[in-house]
PDB file of all heavy atoms in Angstrom:
ATOM      1  N   ASP A 207      96.786  93.126 108.262  1.00  0.00           N
ATOM      2  CA  ASP A 207      96.301  94.293 108.996  1.00  0.00           C
ATOM      3  C   ASP A 207      95.341  95.122 108.144  1.00  0.00           C
ATOM      4  O   ASP A 207      94.296  95.560 108.622  1.00  0.00           O
ATOM      5  CB  ASP A 207      97.473  95.166 109.448  1.00  0.00           C
ATOM      6  CG  ASP A 207      98.281  94.550 110.576  1.00  0.00           C
ATOM      7  OD1 ASP A 207      97.789  93.594 111.220  1.00  0.00           O
ATOM      8  OD2 ASP A 207      99.409  95.020 110.820  1.00  0.00           O
ATOM      9  N   LEU A 208      95.697  95.328 106.890  1.00  0.00           N
ATOM     10  CA  LEU A 208      94.840  96.103 105.986  1.00  0.00           C
ATOM     11  C   LEU A 208      93.508  95.397 105.764  1.00  0.00           C
ATOM     12  O   LEU A 208      92.443  96.018 105.822  1.00  0.00           O
ATOM     13  CB  LEU A 208      95.549  96.321 104.643  1.00  0.00           C
ATOM     14  CG  LEU A 208      96.763  97.253 104.661  1.00  0.00           C
ATOM     15  CD1 LEU A 208      97.529  97.146 103.354  1.00  0.00           C
ATOM     16  CD2 LEU A 208      96.335  98.685 104.930  1.00  0.00           C
ATOM     17  N   ALA A 210      92.019  93.305 107.674  1.00  0.00           N
ATOM     18  CA  ALA A 210      91.236  93.300 108.911  1.00  0.00           C
ATOM     19  C   ALA A 210      90.696  94.690 109.251  1.00  0.00           C
ATOM     20  O   ALA A 210      89.931  94.834 110.214  1.00  0.00           O
ATOM     21  CB  ALA A 210      92.092  92.778 110.062  1.00  0.00           C
ATOM     22  N   GLY A 211      91.085  95.700 108.484  1.00  0.00           N
ATOM     23  CA  GLY A 211      90.597  97.050 108.726  1.00  0.00           C
ATOM     24  C   GLY A 211      91.299  97.761 109.871  1.00  0.00           C
ATOM     25  O   GLY A 211      90.793  98.759 110.380  1.00  0.00           O
ATOM     26  N   ARG A 212      92.465  97.251 110.266  1.00  0.00           N
ATOM     27  CA  ARG A 212      93.217  97.904 111.336  1.00  0.00           C
ATOM     28  C   ARG A 212      93.762  99.241 110.856  1.00  0.00           C
ATOM     29  O   ARG A 212      94.076  99.405 109.690  1.00  0.00           O
ATOM     30  CB  ARG A 212      94.358  97.012 111.809  1.00  0.00           C
ATOM     31  CG  ARG A 212      93.873  95.745 112.482  1.00  0.00           C
ATOM     32  CD  ARG A 212      95.032  94.933 113.066  1.00  0.00           C
ATOM     33  NE  ARG A 212      94.546  93.642 113.506  1.00  0.00           N
ATOM     34  CZ  ARG A 212      94.622  92.523 112.788  1.00  0.00           C
ATOM     35  NH1 ARG A 212      95.200  92.533 111.604  1.00  0.00           N
ATOM     36  NH2 ARG A 212      94.135  91.401 113.250  1.00  0.00           N
ATOM     37  N   GLU A 213      93.893 100.160 111.772  1.00  0.00           N
ATOM     38  CA  GLU A 213      94.476 101.471 111.476  1.00  0.00           C
ATOM     39  C   GLU A 213      95.954 101.249 111.155  1.00  0.00           C
ATOM     40  O   GLU A 213      96.709 100.756 111.984  1.00  0.00           O
ATOM     41  CB  GLU A 213      94.329 102.390 112.691  1.00  0.00           C
ATOM     42  CG  GLU A 213      94.683 103.811 112.425  1.00  0.00           C
ATOM     43  CD  GLU A 213      93.635 104.538 111.601  1.00  0.00           C
ATOM     44  OE1 GLU A 213      92.457 104.154 111.620  1.00  0.00           O
ATOM     45  OE2 GLU A 213      94.022 105.505 110.928  1.00  0.00           O
ATOM     46  N   VAL A 214      96.340 101.607 109.937  1.00  0.00           N
ATOM     47  CA  VAL A 214      97.703 101.358 109.465  1.00  0.00           C
ATOM     48  C   VAL A 214      98.237 102.611 108.799  1.00  0.00           C
ATOM     49  O   VAL A 214      97.532 103.236 108.002  1.00  0.00           O
ATOM     50  CB  VAL A 214      97.706 100.186 108.441  1.00  0.00           C
ATOM     51  CG1 VAL A 214      99.039 100.047 107.767  1.00  0.00           C
ATOM     52  CG2 VAL A 214      97.309  98.886 109.100  1.00  0.00           C
ATOM     53  N   TYR A 215      99.475 102.965 109.123  1.00  0.00           N
ATOM     54  CA  TYR A 215     100.160 104.044 108.411  1.00  0.00           C
ATOM     55  C   TYR A 215     100.833 103.372 107.221  1.00  0.00           C
ATOM     56  O   TYR A 215     101.967 102.891 107.300  1.00  0.00           O
ATOM     57  CB  TYR A 215     101.152 104.752 109.329  1.00  0.00           C
ATOM     58  CG  TYR A 215     101.960 105.824 108.633  1.00  0.00           C
ATOM     59  CD1 TYR A 215     101.351 106.766 107.798  1.00  0.00           C
ATOM     60  CD2 TYR A 215     103.321 105.904 108.812  1.00  0.00           C
ATOM     61  CE1 TYR A 215     102.089 107.743 107.161  1.00  0.00           C
ATOM     62  CE2 TYR A 215     104.073 106.882 108.184  1.00  0.00           C
ATOM     63  CZ  TYR A 215     103.459 107.792 107.369  1.00  0.00           C
ATOM     64  OH  TYR A 215     104.193 108.758 106.725  1.00  0.00           O
ATOM     65  N   LEU A 216     100.099 103.290 106.105  1.00  0.00           N
ATOM     66  CA  LEU A 216     100.518 102.519 104.938  1.00  0.00           C
ATOM     67  C   LEU A 216     101.860 102.987 104.389  1.00  0.00           C
ATOM     68  O   LEU A 216     102.743 102.171 104.122  1.00  0.00           O
ATOM     69  CB  LEU A 216      99.441 102.562 103.854  1.00  0.00           C
ATOM     70  CG  LEU A 216      99.690 101.711 102.618  1.00  0.00           C
ATOM     71  CD1 LEU A 216      99.878 100.239 102.979  1.00  0.00           C
ATOM     72  CD2 LEU A 216      98.534 101.872 101.636  1.00  0.00           C
ATOM     73  N   ARG A 219     104.704 101.813 106.626  1.00  0.00           N
ATOM     74  CA  ARG A 219     104.938 100.360 106.569  1.00  0.00           C
ATOM     75  C   ARG A 219     105.604  99.978 105.252  1.00  0.00           C
ATOM     76  O   ARG A 219     106.498  99.135 105.225  1.00  0.00           O
ATOM     77  CB  ARG A 219     103.614  99.605 106.742  1.00  0.00           C
ATOM     78  CG  ARG A 219     102.933  99.768 108.088  1.00  0.00           C
ATOM     79  CD  ARG A 219     103.424  98.837 109.169  1.00  0.00           C
ATOM     80  NE  ARG A 219     103.135  97.444 108.946  1.00  0.00           N
ATOM     81  CZ  ARG A 219     102.042  96.805 109.368  1.00  0.00           C
ATOM     82  NH1 ARG A 219     101.100  97.455 110.022  1.00  0.00           N
ATOM     83  NH2 ARG A 219     101.896  95.527 109.134  1.00  0.00           N
TER      84      ARG A 219
END
Side-chain angles (χ1 to χ4, degrees):
D207 288 345
L208 291 168
R212 294 185 189 97
E213 190 74 26
V214 171
Y215 176 47
L216 185 58
R219 295 276 294 269

